[in-house]
Amino acid sequence: MTAFTSVRRTALGALTIIAGALLVMPAQAQNYPISSGQRATAQQVSERGVPLEELAPNAPDSYTVKRGDTLWGISGMYLKRPWRWPELWGMNLKAIPNPHLIFPGQTLYLEKDGGYARLRTSRPGTTGEPETVRVSPRTRSDSLVDSALPTLKPHLIEPFLVEPLVVDEQTLLRAPRVIATTDERVLMGAGDRVYVRGDTASPMLAEAGEPRFYRVFRNAVALKDPMTGEVLGYEAQYVGKAELVRGESFEETPNGKGGYNAEYVPATVDLSATKEEVQAGDRLLPAPARAFMSYTPRAPEVEVDARVVSIYGSSAVAYGAQNQVVAINMGSEDGVEPGHVLSLMTKGDRIKDTTDKAKAMVKLPSEINGTAMVFRTFERVSYALLLEIRNGVRVGDRLVNPK
């Protein structure tokens, strides 16, 4: 037990709760305004399947899932509008947030009946029991969920599951900060050691039950609603990962008068990975536990009319391209969830009609510019991956329910 222990319990608990709430996506805890009639209709459609005219022209009668396939890719193979996958697969609303039950080695069969189509894991006309899936031997540490089919190529979104962090204005200011480096260097990278000081009421301690792994952040840029100018939150810049080696403490040193003084010693932290070089003043927050996230592509159950707030990690770039990430001005409190697919709309530029003698200004109509899928939500902000883009995406562009 250190000198800090008795004075920091309440504040440390509060900070842990705040950070946890910001770092975890509580999809199953969200309440969104769906009427009983809407739910019944969705359930009925899910059980019936999709109209045959919704099938892609070359949708195969059967397909064996291969390693490297994605749910979005298979959706596009079978459907003109991939976000209708839950209807084709026959998933009900309660099953949508659950991990996928589609694995490499399974064969999917397309069943057509009464003008509708559904996918099954057993041949049409059989007892309905799914076929046996042969899988390679796996270590005990792996779970069945780990081998489930991902929605998107993992490398496209995995970095962004830990990088973006939307906080309130004071959260980073209260977080532990880097105060010194080794060898008096200004910038530090992976494998280097730095020294960190926590808030007086929330020091970094190496006790049982305390966080050991951290993420390093810098700055906190205001995310402003492009329509109202209101600050929706502050986006912290991700810098890297760190591991606590020794906690903060006090050491007794001789004072030259026959006694001892208690001198403060900061925490020792090793940098395990860095996206940018770490420097004094950077802040640390506990790393969230790694969790499997299910992103079943689907249309939102709520009405969405959102705007692009920023192009993530590209403050100097005016246009977002395919496979880039954008922040939007709707979040979990608006009913937006991971897996929601949205249509991107162009702004509709204003041009001068050069064929008019008066040179009148004319606003061009907004056009569908592609699709995006939400993969991470905060209370008032969400992050979405740009999937299919025709032209560059700009701040202020609209995102609406898929067309």
Side-chain angles (χ1 to χ4, degrees), residues 156 160 164 310-313 321 323-327 375 383-386:
L156 294 178
F160 302 104
S310 68
I311 312 297
Y312 181 73
N323 294 334
Q324 280 192 276
V325 169
V326 296
F375 65 88
Y383 289 91
L385 182 70
L386 302 179

Side-chain angles (χ1 to χ4, degrees), residues 215-342:
R215 297 184 301 166
V216 186
F217 293 94
R218 179 179 305 148
N219 304 330
V221 179
L223 294 176
K224 295 183 179 180
D225 190 311
M227 303 300 293
T228 65
E230 180 185 6
V231 175
L232 304 171
Y234 292 81
E235 182 182 80
Q237 177 187 350
Y238 173 82
V239 178
K241 301 177 182 178
E243 181 178 352
L244 179 64
V245 178
R246 287 187 297 271
E248 296 178 72
S249 63
F250 282 94
E251 288 186 3
E252 291 186 345
T253 57
N255 60 14
K257 301 178 181 179
Y260 293 87
N261 292 332
E263 289 191 302
Y264 168 79
V265 178
T268 301
V269 171
D270 284 343
L271 302 175
S272 55
T274 55
K275 184 178 180 181
E276 297 185 20
E277 291 182 304
V278 175
Q279 61 190 35
D282 288 346
R283 302 281 178 163
L284 282 73
L285 286 173
R290 184 179 181 274
F292 174 84
M293 295 303 301
S294 174
Y295 304 102
T296 305
R298 63 197 190 278
E301 297 85 7
V302 297
E303 193 70 24
V304 174
D305 188 0
R307 297 294 189 280
V308 173
V309 174
S310 68
I311 312 297
Y312 181 73
S314 305
S315 57
V317 178
Y319 293 90
Q322 187 160 318
N323 294 334
Q324 280 192 276
V325 169
V326 296
I328 67 175
N329 65 343
M330 292 182 69
S332 59
E333 69 176 27
D334 303 300
V336 175
E337 294 183 328
H340 280 173
V341 176
L342 303 171

Side-chain angles (χ1 to χ4, degrees), residues 59-220:
D61 291 330
S62 65
Y63 179 75
T64 301
V65 180
K66 302 186 298 293
R67 189 169 300 279
D69 279 340
T70 64
L71 188 58
W72 183 258
I74 293 179
S75 301
M77 182 191 307
Y78 277 99
L79 293 168
K80 294 177 181 176
R81 298 189 289 177
W83 55 87
R84 296 194 69 171
W85 172 261
E87 299 166 38
L88 180 68
W89 184 240
M91 303 172 86
N92 59 41
L93 290 177
K94 292 182 180 179
I96 284 175
N98 292 337
H100 309 305
L101 299 178
I102 307 171
F103 304 91
Q106 279 184 313
T107 300
L108 305 178
Y109 299 95
L110 185 62
E111 182 181 59
K112 301 175 184 178
D113 182 37
Y116 290 87
R118 286 188 61 186
L119 273 181
R120 301 162 55 98
T121 54
S122 58
R123 291 183 183 276
T126 62
T127 59
E129 291 295 326
E131 293 186 334
T132 301
V133 180
R134 297 185 180 277
V135 297
S136 302
R138 304 178 62 84
T139 61
R140 287 192 215 174
S141 62
D142 289 336
S143 68
L144 194 58
V145 166
D146 293 330
S147 64
L149 199 68
T151 296
L152 303 168
K153 294 292 185 183
H155 73 276
L156 294 178
I157 58 173
E158 282 181 350
F160 302 104
L161 297 181
V162 296
E163 288 188 10
L165 179 67
V166 178
V167 297
D168 61 55
E169 191 173 10
Q170 295 299 314
T171 297
L172 278 187
L173 296 179
R174 295 192 300 265
R177 64 191 184 278
V178 176
I179 64 170
T181 60
T182 53
D183 303 324
E184 298 183 353
R185 292 162 54 189
V186 176
L187 302 174
M188 307 295 283
D192 290 334
R193 175 164 289 186
V194 297
Y195 302 101
V196 177
R197 184 171 191 173
D199 184 78
T200 304
S202 306
M204 293 182 68
L205 302 178
E207 297 180 354
E210 298 292 346
R212 178 183 170 189
F213 298 98
Y214 289 81
R215 297 184 301 166
V216 186
F217 293 94
R218 179 179 305 148
N219 304 330

Side-chain angles (χ1 to χ4, degrees), residues 351-363:
I351 65 166
K352 182 182 293 184
D353 182 1
T354 57
T355 66
D356 180 11
K357 292 182 179 180
K359 302 296 191 260
M361 297 300 296
V362 178
K363 183 184 183 300

